[in-house]
Amino acid sequence: MKTEGLESPPHVCPTLLRHAQERLRKCARGKLGLADKGIFGFWLSLTWGAGLKALQLAVSMLRVVSWNINGIRSPVQGVGYEEPSNCTAMTMGRILDKLDADIVCLQETKVTRDVLTEPLAIIEGCNSYFSFSRNRSGYSGVATFCKESATPVAAEEGLSGLLATQNGDVGCYGNVDDFTQEELRALDSEGRALLTQHKICTWEGKEKTLTLINVYCPHADPGKPERLAFKMRFYRLLQIRAEALLAAGSHVIILGDLNTAHRPIDHWDAVNLERFEEDPGRKWMDHLLSNLGCQAGSHTGPFIDSYRCFHPKQKGAFTCWSTVSGARHLNYGSRLDYVLGDRTLVMDTFQASFLLPEVMGSDHCPVGAVLSVSSVPAKQCPPLCTRFLPEFAGTQLKILRFLVRLEQDPVFRQSALQLSNQTPVQMRQNKARVRSTRSRPSQPGSSRGQKNLMSYFQPSSSRPQASPNLGLPSLGNLMTPKTSEEDVMANVVEGRAKASEAKDEKEVRTSFWKSLLGGPLPMPLCGGHREPCVMRTVKKPGPNLGRHFYMCARPQGPPTDPSSRCSFFLWSRPS
């Protein structure tokens, strides 16, 4: 933030201007206290008037970003602002630098604690928090990375409170009486929610609480109705927890992959989907969110979709694309990732909400928002921080933690007691008896005794003796006789003829086996573009499971786009 070019008002002296510039620099570096920031902001508004409102807001902003990373270990090897095939290896720190946010929330990390490595968890200048799946390895999982300037005051895993440790937790769980303990445990066992609570300061100098709920909501598989019920119960628990935090006086941001495209504008092919508006997930979002637009009187739910608040009519604003069909190339996708803020927070502090479709490395793209507040970092990270895990804290584990006390067998205990009661004379007698029972070494002359070292160097009778009559060949016999030029040419011609015969014989064998086995058939041409098709395999359970078929090789896109995939389909004949 540059303040040197700030022009002084007519009634402000240059010395006062220099003082204001220095105070602005301290604000940007986070070196002013809450009272100083509030008083200075009020003084600026009186001195320069409303013209410096934008300057005050620009000095300190809070930028949050959410990204379904589809495996935290895979984008590390290929993420950037270019095509994935051209990407080079990138560390987690560089990913966070690219996203350029104070708080980064990641979903679908697909790691468990046993495979989490230090380069992924411990980033210089940041503190990280992970929630792991407890049922399956390489499945689900969320993580939150906070800069040191945005260190949370509390952090907690899960929505139900069953995973809380009563030390540094967020609290405020709401009424969950309609959930059983088994159901709550199942909803939190997949590592789908992570809460961090932060202290923020407005330009009026007021300190407030902001809770971020990083969520990866379940996907409802059409072939598994029980997963739809699981998803709706997860939605319900998420709403109860968020509303409980609001009731306790905290501002709340829900961000992450909600796995539901809310409106038809958020899905490319919504007009062709059967009963789009009747989807249970969309009905839940209708109750959770206010109507589009930030106008007064449009309130129906406690939260606002921040992107649609700033871009209510933006078409093609998608965050997820199918990688199998190459739909991202033609932007044929849906918007599943959101930054939802409570109505007061969005109306008062949100300055922007954005998508980052140019960021590759996953089938989702990052989303984010900018708030005109400054973060007040906690003096110490909450206990959930990964740097406190024993494997990353650098603490030595005691060997007693790996030992388990075993119950002794009664016979063994009686034998040990008898040995301990023996007198020294009895112990010496036992030792002598043991020595007398040991086998004595064999005598040197015996066949079982140790051999002499010189026995290994005796001349062998089976070795052939060199004949004294053998002589060295004469030098004349070693010389190759000279050949004429005609003989050399004849040898060359004969060698080429043999090579040609071998090549012809190989081609004959190859053509024979090709005629016998048939070989792969050429790909058929699609009807729309007359281009070679691609072969796919049916993976959906049913009578056609495992069958192969041909389809257009172009990426999926709108039917009106001639460059997109055509409707060609052909079953492959059985081999």
Side-chain angles (χ1 to χ4, degrees), residues 432-439:
R433 190 179 301 110
V434 170
R435 284 196 294 268
S436 63
T437 57
R438 292 177 183 172
S439 58

Side-chain angles (χ1 to χ4, degrees), residues 104 168 204 441 497:
V104 176
E204 293 79 13

